[in-house]
Amino acid sequence: MALFRRRRKSAEGSLDRAADNADVKHLEEFARSRRGVEAFVEPPTTMTATTVVFVAHDGEWTRRRVRDAAAAHALARKLAIPAYDAQVVGYPQRMREWNRKNGNRGV
C-alpha cells in the first residue's frame, strides 16, 4: 500500500531538494533589482537545507536554498550586501511589516 511509504531523503539527509543555479540566479536578480538588500542566513533543519532570506529596504523578501552557510555569505560578499545569521540577529522589523501588509508572502 503506497499510503505508508516513506519519502526518500536527499543526499544531504533532508526531505527537501538541494540548491541549484536557478536559486542563485533568483537571489542575484532580487538583489540587483531592489535597494538596501540584506541577507539573513538560516541554518538547515531536519526538513530543509540551508536557506537565505534576502530582505529589501521596504521589507519585501525572498527565500531560496543555498549549498551551505559559507555559500550564502560568499554570495552576499559577491553582491556587496551585508549578511547576518538569522538565528543570531533575527529578522528586521520592516520584513514583519511587509508581511502584515502583503499576507506573509515573500517573492
Side-chain angles (χ1 to χ4, degrees):
M1 181 172 229
L3 290 175
F4 299 105
R5 287 188 191 152
R6 292 183 184 207
R7 291 178 63 184
R8 286 189 180 166
K9 291 185 178 186
S10 70
E12 292 145 350
S14 69
L15 295 174
D16 203 13
R17 71 169 176 82
D20 60 24
N21 288 338
D23 293 320
V24 174
K25 288 180 192 283
H26 173 80
L27 292 167
E28 289 173 340
E29 176 58 31
F30 185 90
R32 290 185 177 124
S33 62
R34 290 156 178 88
R35 292 185 302 118
V37 175
E38 296 176 311
F40 295 85
V41 182
E42 301 173 318
T45 68
T46 57
M47 297 300 287
T48 61
T50 304
T51 53
V52 63
V53 176
F54 278 17
V55 182
H57 79 284
D58 62 355
E60 182 183 11
W61 60 276
T62 189
R63 175 183 286 119
R64 291 294 184 273
R65 293 161 187 84
V66 289
R67 185 179 67 246
D68 54 28
H73 286 283
L75 178 60
R77 277 192 305 277
K78 174 184 166 187
L79 298 171
I81 63 174
Y84 309 99
D85 290 325
Q87 189 173 359
V88 175
V89 301
Y91 300 97
Q93 181 63 34
R94 67 184 186 275
M95 181 181 169
R96 289 188 286 278
E97 291 168 2
W98 193 89
N99 285 341
R100 269 195 293 277
K101 292 177 190 172
N102 295 285
N104 200 29
R105 293 174 308 191
V107 179

